[in-house]
């Protein structure tokens, strides 16, 4: 959430752009150039200064094209580009806005809290491990006993003894890998463990792990041997993480409905939600953008101070500068960013005035 927080606390006004950046046709580069030219004109007509437009020009021209379908978000203030982010899918439509607050809500929905995870690529000699705690990546290698690792054909007692030594070596290596995976799971509080590599090795590691079965997924594709094509495996890992994020959003909506239904840790409507945001008491902001659109709230220079009336803002922020009415979706997303609230967006969420919240504690 740090990227959102940085933008939310930056001085405005802001030029926000969401665009289709797909590069899946022969004339994609020309199409992108023409699309940006049109969006640039829109921003200029809205009052964006030349220094901001020039900064965006440079960012657009310097970017490497994505592979296939993709979107992009750019947010700039003054001569600085604050956000330049590739999105996994194009936005439903290109959007430009020059306004006192940044257009953060779509970005927040595209950048949910990262999923802490551990990725393991195993063979009989050990494994390469990748762990992510939500902020930083850590890559390490576990190598156990190296010899002997491969069974050979033969007969007699010596052969049987060698076969046993091979099995013992592999078991030792598997146990060592499993112990390190379990340590990393505890360390990063992993919500997902992905196992790849040799079929027998990853299955053996899976069997050795003392973890919940629904935490661990085996995936085909990767290997430790030189020349292995890891693209399929990498795509599978990204897909699993995306599925986990989507399920987490769905669980949050279910929790909101359950808490609202029993008068628990949930509120809805602009007045209740803005009150909770001012108190930094929102765990998850739930938004239906179609319903929330065009509604206004009061804000100040303090991003966490937002209310349905001017008095509510002034009471919470003292005598702040910059008190004004702004689009509710911009103000709520900004307040959520600075208070560390998760944001879940969905056009099918039934919620009063298009906004609700799961609270951190009962008021």
């Amino acid at each position: 959430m740090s990227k959102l927080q940085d933008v939310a606390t930056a001085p405005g006004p802001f030029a926000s752009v969401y665009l289709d950046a797909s590069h899946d046709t022969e004339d994609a580069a020309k199409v992108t150039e023409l699309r940006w030219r049109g969006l640039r004109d829109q921003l200029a007509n809205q009052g964006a200064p030349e220094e901001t437009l020039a900064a965006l020009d440079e960012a657009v021209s310097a970017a490497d094209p994505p592979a296939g379908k993709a979107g992009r978000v750019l947010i700039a203030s003054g001569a600085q580009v604050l956000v330049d982010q590739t999105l996994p899918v194009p936005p439903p439509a290109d959007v430009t806005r020059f306004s006192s607050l940044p257009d953060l809500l779509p970005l927040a929905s595209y950048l949910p809290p990262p999923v802490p995870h551990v990725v393991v690529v195993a063979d009989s000699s050990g494994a390469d491990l990748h762990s992510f705690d939500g902020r930083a990546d850590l890559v390490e290698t576990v190598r156990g006993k190296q010899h002997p690792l491969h069974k050979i054909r033969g007969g007699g007692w010596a052969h049987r003894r060698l076969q046993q030594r091979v099995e013992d070596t592999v078991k030792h290596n598997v146990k060592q890998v499993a112990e390190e995976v379990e340590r990393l799971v505890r360390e990063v509080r992993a919500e997902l463990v992905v196992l790849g590599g040799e079929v027998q090795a990853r299955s053996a590691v899976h069997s050795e792990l003392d973890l919940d079965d629904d935490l661990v997924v085996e995936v085909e594709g990767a290997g430790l041997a030189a020349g292995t094509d890891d693209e399929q495996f990498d795509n599978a890992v990204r897909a699993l993480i995306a599925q986990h994020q989507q399920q987490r959003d769905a669980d949050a909506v279910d929790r909101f409905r359950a808490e609202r239904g029993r008068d628990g840790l949930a509120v809805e409507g602009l007045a209740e939600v803005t009150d909770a945001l001012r108190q930094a008491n929102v765990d998850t902001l739930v938004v239906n953008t179609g319903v929330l659109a065009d509604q206004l709230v009061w804000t100040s220079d303090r991003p966490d101070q937002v209310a349905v009336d001017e008095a509510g803002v002034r009471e919470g922020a003292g005598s702040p500068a910059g008190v004004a009415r702004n689009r509710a979706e911009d103000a709520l997303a900004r307040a959520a960013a600075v208070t560390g609230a998760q944001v879940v967006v969905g056009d099918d969420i039934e919620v009063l005035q298009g906004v609700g919240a799961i609270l951190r504690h009962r008021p």
Side-chain angles (χ1 to χ4, degrees):
M1 193 67 77
S2 60
K3 179 179 293 187
L4 295 178
Q5 290 174 338
D6 290 344
V7 181
T9 56
F14 301 86
S16 304
V17 184
Y18 291 83
L19 70 154
D20 186 336
S22 300
H23 200 84
D24 55 352
T25 61
E26 290 185 1
D27 62 344
K30 185 63 176 177
V31 170
T32 298
E33 179 185 347
L34 293 174
R35 175 179 284 114
W36 167 241
R37 194 179 301 170
L39 297 176
R40 188 191 198 279
D41 289 344
Q42 291 179 21
L43 287 171
N45 292 335
Q46 293 173 35
E50 183 58 33
E51 65 172 353
T52 301
L53 296 173
L56 291 170
D57 284 337
E58 184 176 351
V60 170
S61 62
D64 293 328
K69 292 288 186 182
R72 192 172 178 195
V73 55
L74 295 151
I75 300 177
S77 175
Q80 184 179 7
V81 177
L82 304 173
V83 175
D84 183 354
Q85 176 78 39
T86 299
L87 305 175
V89 295
D94 293 341
V95 174
T96 61
R97 186 181 302 161
F98 182 67
S99 55
S100 58
L101 301 185
D103 185 7
L104 286 180
L105 189 60
L107 180 59
S109 67
Y110 280 116
L111 297 178
V115 176
H117 60 271
V118 175
V119 179
V120 185
V121 180
D123 67 9
S124 58
S125 67
D128 287 346
L129 297 96
H130 166 110
S131 60
F132 179 68
D133 65 359
R135 297 179 302 277
D137 294 284
L138 174 65
V139 178
E140 62 181 272
T141 298
V142 175
R143 289 291 177 267
K145 295 179 180 179
Q146 297 298 308
H147 301 287
L149 289 174
H150 303 289
K151 295 182 180 181
I152 60 173
R153 294 181 179 178
W157 168 248
H159 168 70
R160 289 194 295 273
R161 183 172 60 182
L162 179 58
Q163 297 282 65
Q164 185 60 51
R165 286 178 60 200
V166 170
E167 292 174 2
D168 290 345
T169 299
V170 173
K171 286 179 181 178
H172 174 272
N173 295 347
V174 165
K175 183 175 179 60
Q176 193 172 352
V177 170
E179 289 174 350
E180 184 61 11
V181 172
E182 291 172 3
R183 185 190 70 78
L184 289 174
V185 168
R186 293 191 298 270
E187 183 177 292
V188 306
R189 299 183 179 180
E191 299 175 20
L192 177 68
V193 177
V194 182
L195 294 179
E198 295 179 357
V199 176
Q200 290 182 332
R202 72 168 186 257
S203 296
V205 171
H206 194 168
S207 298
E208 186 69 27
L209 290 172
D210 185 18
L211 299 172
D212 292 340
D213 285 341
D214 57 359
L215 186 70
V216 185
V217 180
E218 291 189 40
V219 172
E220 299 282 349
L224 298 180
T228 302
D229 183 3
D230 294 334
E231 183 177 356
Q232 179 183 351
F233 179 76
D234 292 343
N235 290 337
V237 172
R238 284 192 287 269
L240 285 169
I241 292 171
Q243 290 171 13
H244 191 91
Q245 289 171 329
Q246 291 169 0
Q247 185 58 52
R248 193 159 55 180
D249 282 356
D251 291 343
V253 173
D254 288 343
R255 182 184 168 205
F256 167 74
R257 290 168 175 156
E259 293 290 347
R260 178 184 59 182
R262 58 171 171 259
D263 195 24
L265 286 170
V267 296
E268 60 181 334
L270 280 171
E272 295 285 347
V273 171
T274 54
D275 283 349
L277 284 167
R278 290 200 308 278
Q279 299 166 34
N281 190 24
V282 174
D283 174 82
T284 303
L285 185 69
V286 178
V287 178
N288 182 320
T289 51
V291 178
L292 185 62
D294 299 328
Q295 297 189 68
L296 301 176
V297 294
W298 286 89
T299 66
S300 77
D301 287 348
R302 284 186 53 180
D304 60 329
Q305 295 301 303
V306 55
V308 295
D309 54 55
E310 184 178 0
V313 170
R314 293 194 179 278
E315 179 182 356
S319 299
V323 173
R325 296 189 81 188
N326 279 291
R327 290 170 59 98
E329 61 185 67
D330 295 346
L332 298 182
R334 186 177 71 149
V338 297
T339 56
Q342 179 183 347
V343 178
V344 177
V345 177
D347 290 337
D348 59 344
I349 303 173
E350 294 184 5
V351 56
L352 180 65
Q353 294 183 293
V355 64
I358 302 173
L359 305 181
R360 290 173 173 149
H361 54 78
R362 286 182 173 80

